[in-house]
Amino acid sequence: MPSIRTRKNRKNFKTLKSGTAWADAWQRCLAVAPEAFREDRVLNLWNAAWQADGRVLPAVTPVDGSPVAGPPLLDRDIARQAVRASLDQHRAWRHVPLQERRARVAATLDALTAHRDLLALLLVWEIGKPWRLARADVDRAVDGVRWYVDGIEEMVQGRAPLDGPVSNIASWNYPMSVLVHALLVQALAGNAVIAKTPTDGGVACLTLACALAAREGIPVTLVSGSGGELSEALVRAPEIGCVSFVGGRDTGAAVATAVTDLGKRHVLEQEGLNTWGIWNHTDWDALTAVIPKLFDYGKQRCTAYPRFVVQRELFDEFLAAYLPAVRTLRVGHPLAVEHPDDPYPDLDFGPLINAAKAKELGDQVAEAVSRGAVPLYRGKVDETRFLPGQDTSAYVQPVTLLGPPPSSPLHHAEPFGPVDTIVLVDTEAELLAAMNASGGALVATLSTDDRAVFDRLAPQIRAFKVGHGTPRSRGDRDELFGGHGASWRGAFVGGELLVRAVTRGPAGERLPGNFPDRQLMP
């Protein structure tokens, strides 16, 4: 009989799940889409052809720090050529009958479905998503676009495509359910589409998805490059009919200024500090149940809730509900298993997008504590969830801080990582001020037993969607979505409005949104 120590060591030893190595995923990409992949790089797609141009930026996976495919960075001159070529595609595509566009998009969805697991595996390696969330990202893209395919006739009735292609610049965290979803709906509505691959990750997944779309005749352009090099072409070029941006406020502010000055249609979704308020509340079991879900993907999403604003006299009860829940969080290597044929690990999140972000967040936590924030919880590393000796520099365990100082970025900005901050308040006025700390957000929640209190306070919370004791999400079908303040600029989307944002309606139509008064929509 083996000793207890030997049995324990065997149990703790981890290996990669069979067939999930990056090399395996890469070989599958070469087999599925040889036109888009080379042995040593991915290609850009423009002028309806895959181009071996651009300087390949070295990249590593956040999962274990090993090399993965890097984006092939173009310069501004080639980007301008790509935009001009997209305009030619657009002028042809806008005259393709709706039923043919619909059939081609439907065929693309069938191809994405057929390669669902490969797309998800690429997301695991490139941006660190656990398997459950990676597959959900692919499924949400496919299911969401199918909803539009089924109902597109009514949505485009009396409407026409734009005069130029739609340019898409999106963050790295949801390549399929945000970016690919948007591309296919925009194309279904009659537009050629351009996408910039996020520099931080997702290039192989997006390349494969765009290759499958291009095979079905979808007029898609996929290019890589720095924002400084490509912004002139992807934002300011006269050929562009609409700009769709998802990202941070710093970059978003520059894009917003450009599109407003040029009078371009735009959808600009930006970060905001989403908050969860607790006021005269007693249903603590409900709060305990939802806390782990709020940490999905390490809170690296636009609708994450990193701030709790708690009535001071309820703080002890809040902690009694919150701490047991946060202690259940599972963090580790998304593909590490005891035996190669074991199921994928059931994790709440894996690494952050890269080691630099993990260090930045760790430094912010340390600085906040040094200036008076109180650490209430710091997760411990469970070594049994990692491969022996692997690089873990991109992993951050959950942290909870009480009272981040006003000088700390954690006080007023979204951390985009697994760090919760708590602010205590004594009055309703303080509650509202703390929940509105970032001057506008996408979502918020207020937990209170009194519906009348919720109805009175919710309209004063500067978030686009406010939940009563439940989290709110982005939504992409029949639900309107936008933001308050600096968290959003331009057309609101969701359901039919996503189509209206990228099509022309009756003369004088003004799209729902928060455009500046002087902005006239063409």
Side-chain angles (χ1 to χ4, degrees):
M1 291 288 291
S3 67
I4 293 177
R5 179 179 296 275
T6 301
R7 288 199 300 268
K8 181 177 180 181
N9 286 345
R10 285 182 180 175
K11 181 178 180 180
N12 289 350
F13 179 79
K14 288 291 191 294
T15 186
L16 280 181
K17 181 172 173 59
S18 179
T20 65
W22 170 255
D24 297 327
W26 189 253
Q27 288 303 312
R28 290 167 65 185
C29 289
L30 290 170
V32 171
E35 70 272 28
F37 293 84
R38 297 289 182 268
E39 286 289 346
D40 60 342
R41 61 172 294 169
V42 299
L43 306 183
N44 289 297
L45 172 61
W46 61 274
N47 197 23
W50 291 96
Q51 314 276 358
D53 50 16
R55 175 180 60 86
V56 177
L57 183 70
V60 298
T61 171
V63 171
D64 62 9
S66 59
V68 293
L73 306 183
L74 299 180
D75 60 32
R76 64 189 67 190
D77 291 335
I78 297 181
R80 286 286 292 123
Q81 295 177 48
V83 169
R84 286 193 292 268
S86 181
L87 178 60
D88 292 337
Q89 290 180 294
H90 179 83
R91 287 171 172 165
W93 179 253
R94 63 180 299 177
H95 297 296
V96 172
L98 175 60
Q99 290 308 312
E100 184 175 345
R101 299 200 307 261
R102 181 180 177 182
R104 292 188 186 187
V105 172
T108 300
L109 297 179
D110 291 342
L112 294 174
T113 300
H115 297 289
R116 169 203 192 198
D117 285 358
L118 176 54
L119 291 162
L121 183 58
L122 293 171
L123 291 180
V124 173
W125 279 111
E126 293 191 284
I127 62 174
K129 282 201 171 187
W131 180 248
R132 168 179 60 88
L133 299 178
R135 292 219 304 182
D137 194 15
V138 179
D139 291 344
R140 284 181 59 200
V142 172
D143 294 344
V145 178
R146 286 198 193 280
W147 184 85
Y148 287 91
V149 168
D150 292 342
I152 190 62
E153 288 91 345
E154 184 176 349
M155 295 183 197
V156 298
Q157 187 172 5
R159 309 189 67 80
L162 299 177
D163 291 335
V166 182
S167 176
N168 294 268
I169 303 170
S171 57
W172 44 265
N173 52 343
Y174 285 91
M176 293 296 300
S177 61
V178 172
L179 185 50
V180 171
H181 177 278
L183 295 175
L184 293 178
V185 174
Q186 293 160 7
L188 181 64
N191 303 287
V193 292
I194 305 171
K196 175 186 175 298
T197 60
T199 305
D200 285 326
V203 62
C205 177
L206 285 170
T207 299
L208 178 59
C210 288
L212 297 175
R215 284 182 181 178
E216 302 301 335
I218 304 298
V220 58
T221 294
L222 181 67
V223 294
S224 297
S226 69
E229 281 290 304
L230 270 57
S231 63
E232 189 69 24
L234 300 185
V235 175
R236 293 182 171 274
E239 295 91 342
I240 298 297
C242 177
V243 176
S244 177
F245 173 87
V246 180
R249 286 191 181 183
D250 290 343
T251 303
V255 174
T257 299
V259 295
T260 300
D261 289 346
L262 296 169
K264 288 186 183 293
R265 288 196 178 214
H266 54 280
V267 179
L268 305 182
E269 179 184 335
Q270 300 166 88
E271 63 185 303
L273 183 62
N274 305 317
T275 58
W276 193 301
I278 307 288
W279 189 262
N280 293 340
H281 176 72
T282 59
D283 190 359
W284 300 111
D285 289 342
L287 183 67
T288 298
V290 80
I291 292 298
K293 299 175 184 176
L294 301 183
F295 277 87
D296 268 358
Y297 195 34
K299 302 206 173 193
Q300 297 177 103
R301 48 197 176 91
C302 65
T303 53
Y305 286 82
R307 166 67 51 80
F308 288 89
V309 181
V310 182
Q311 189 175 4
R312 190 182 305 274
E313 65 182 56
L314 298 180
F315 183 48
D316 57 337
E317 294 179 85
F318 170 82
L319 281 186
Y322 174 90
L323 290 176
V326 79
R327 291 189 182 108
T328 67
L329 295 173
R330 298 152 299 184
V331 184
H333 189 302
L335 302 171
V337 293
E338 290 187 30
H339 304 287
D341 295 329
D342 282 352
Y344 287 89
D346 187 11
L347 302 174
D348 294 288
F349 60 95
L352 299 192
I353 185 57
N354 52 49
K357 176 60 182 179
K359 182 181 185 305
E360 173 191 288
L361 202 55
D363 290 346
Q364 289 179 356
V365 169
E367 181 185 34
V369 171
S370 72
R371 295 185 179 183
V374 178
L376 298 177
Y377 180 77
R378 286 174 170 164
K380 305 298 183 185
V381 176
D382 182 351
E383 294 183 355
T384 67
R385 297 190 185 277
F386 297 91
L387 299 179
Q390 75 160 85
D391 183 337
T392 59
S393 58
Y395 291 79
V396 173
Q397 299 296 317
V399 175
T400 306
L401 301 179
L402 173 65
S407 60
S408 169
L410 296 177
H411 177 79
H412 54 77
E414 181 182 15
F416 228 62
V419 176
D420 276 348
T421 57
I422 300 172
V423 173
L424 303 182
V425 295
D426 297 299
T427 67
E428 289 183 357
E430 290 177 334
L431 174 79
L432 292 171
M435 292 190 71
N436 294 331
S438 68
L442 301 176
V443 296
T445 292
L446 178 61
S447 290
T448 179
D449 294 346
D450 191 335
R451 179 73 201 198
V453 171
F454 175 82
D455 291 341
R456 177 166 49 83
L457 296 182
Q460 302 177 67
I461 298 172
R462 290 182 57 78
F464 191 77
K465 294 181 180 181
V466 181
H468 185 192
T470 57
R472 300 306 309 271
S473 65
R474 190 178 192 274
D476 55 12
R477 294 190 180 182
D478 56 350
E479 187 177 20
L480 183 66
F481 191 59
H484 270 303
S487 67
W488 194 281
R489 287 288 184 270
F492 292 155
V493 296
E496 183 181 352
L497 290 187
L498 180 55
V499 173
R500 289 175 63 185
V502 294
T503 54
R504 297 170 63 89
E509 177 189 49
R510 188 171 177 85
L511 296 176
N514 56 9
F515 300 99
D517 290 339
R518 63 191 178 94
Q519 171 74 24
L520 297 176
M521 296 307 301

